[in-house]
Amino acid sequence: MKIKLFNKNKIIPILLKPSAYLSQYFDFWFLRKDVPTPELVQHTQWENYLFDLAKKNNWRVLEVGSREVTGKSRAREELSDCEYIGFDYYPGENVDVVGDAHKLSTYFDEDNKFDLIFSSACFEHFAMPWLVSQEISKLLKVGGMVFVETHFSNSSHERPWNFFQFSDMGLRVLFSKSMGFECLDSGMSTPIVGRFSKNVLPKQLKFRPVKGLYCHSEYLGRKVEDVPDFSWGNVDLDEIVSNTKYPFKV
């Protein structure tokens, strides 16, 4: 039996686009097994999932950071049968209410709360995101849902308004049980392949690969109770971040 060692139909594409072919064999090495991918609301799924729920239940919906910046929004068209309100710091396309998200509740009637509040690619631009999560809680009905997608790893952008990067655990802290939320789904998606630069110091890091980079982090939660006297100063750390202590050697 003869073994054919050269197949030009396979070799030529690899020579033309080596990264595309190598990535399918090596990119998995950059993932972390302890980082979950959201089951319901990862980057490519969350819009369809949330919009379908809102339309089915005729929800009152608030989007925080609704201005069209990188492309046309689907929200207003998809939610045409719902009451949809777009909120943003600047006026523009798809914006109904202009204001500061750190004072979100002051722009709305708290007696007419929302069934769904969502925000995409905005929390990294909030100077004090812990205040924004608290403001969202004030406007959300008990039983209502909150969704946040933001960046865990991404290039610096829209400076000087680029403050934070969040893991899925960071978003869980912002919408924790202490504030009256239960987590329905969370994780990180859109993996990134990275390495240190050749110019990095210390030199032992030069070209070293960096694992566990993901562009997006997502959190979906439900408000289960009002916590009117909530204060970040009174939060019990063990309650919002559990099972993270290092084991002590005896």
Side-chain angles (χ1 to χ4, degrees):
M1 182 178 69
K2 294 183 178 181
I3 300 177
K4 191 173 183 179
L5 297 178
F6 181 80
N7 185 329
K8 67 177 182 179
N9 293 327
K10 291 184 177 181
I11 295 297
I12 291 176
I14 292 176
L15 293 176
L16 292 176
K17 293 184 177 181
S19 61
Y21 283 86
L22 291 174
S23 65
Q24 63 181 310
Y25 297 106
F26 295 106
D27 278 9
F28 74 91
W29 185 74
F30 287 85
L31 304 178
R32 286 286 303 265
K33 292 182 179 179
D34 59 342
V35 174
T37 299
E39 296 180 5
L40 303 173
V41 290
Q42 64 172 285
H43 181 63
T44 57
Q45 297 175 337
W46 71 263
E47 284 189 317
N48 289 338
Y49 177 77
L50 291 181
F51 294 168
D52 286 347
L53 277 178
K55 288 185 290 186
K56 182 178 179 181
N57 296 284
N58 195 29
W59 279 348
R60 186 170 190 250
V61 180
L62 174 65
E63 180 177 5
V64 179
S66 63
R67 184 169 55 96
E68 295 178 348
V69 178
T70 59
K72 185 171 177 57
S73 172
R74 294 175 50 202
R76 192 172 301 276
E77 181 178 351
E78 289 281 345
L79 301 175
S80 59
D81 293 332
C82 301
E83 183 182 356
Y84 165 82
I85 298 175
F87 179 93
D88 203 278
Y89 191 72
Y90 296 106
E93 293 293 328
N94 201 46
V95 178
D96 301 300
V97 179
V98 175
D100 180 359
H102 300 87
K103 304 173 183 178
L104 184 65
S105 65
T106 64
Y107 300 93
F108 299 94
D109 181 2
E110 289 193 42
D111 293 330
N112 193 12
K113 297 186 177 183
F114 293 90
D115 302 285
L116 169 65
I117 301 178
F118 73 94
S119 179
S120 175
C122 290
F123 261 69
E124 69 269 25
H125 301 300
F126 296 144
M128 294 172 281
W130 51 92
L131 294 184
V132 179
S133 66
Q134 192 171 353
E135 289 295 293
I136 287 175
S137 179
K138 292 178 183 178
L139 289 178
L140 196 62
K141 294 178 180 178
V142 173
M145 295 174 68
V146 59
F147 170 76
V148 172
E149 178 180 74
T150 183
H151 293 302
F152 172 67
S153 305
N154 198 9
S155 56
S156 180
H157 60 288
E158 297 186 27
R159 292 174 62 87
W161 294 90
N162 191 189
F163 298 105
F164 295 97
Q165 294 183 330
F166 295 87
S167 68
D168 54 321
M169 296 305 300
L171 293 178
R172 280 174 173 261
V173 169
L174 289 181
F175 297 95
S176 66
K177 181 179 179 181
S178 296
M179 196 184 284
F181 288 92
E182 66 173 350
C183 179
L184 302 177
D185 192 21
S186 70
M188 297 195 289
S189 61
T190 325
I192 296 174
V193 172
R195 64 167 174 80
F196 284 97
S197 165
K198 68 176 182 179
N199 300 314
V200 71
L201 292 175
K203 291 184 178 180
Q204 60 264 32
L205 294 178
K206 182 177 179 180
F207 298 128
R208 180 175 291 185
V210 180
K211 297 183 179 181
L213 297 179
Y214 298 80
C215 182
H216 299 103
S217 55
E218 294 95 1
Y219 171 89
L220 176 68
R222 177 186 290 118
K223 183 177 177 179
V224 295
E225 64 175 324
D226 277 315
V227 185
D229 56 346
F230 176 82
S231 169
W232 284 106
N234 297 328
V235 171
D236 182 352
L237 184 61
D238 287 334
E239 184 175 321
I240 63 172
V241 186
S242 59
N243 301 320
T244 60
K245 293 182 178 179
Y246 288 99
F248 290 98
K249 294 182 179 180
V250 179

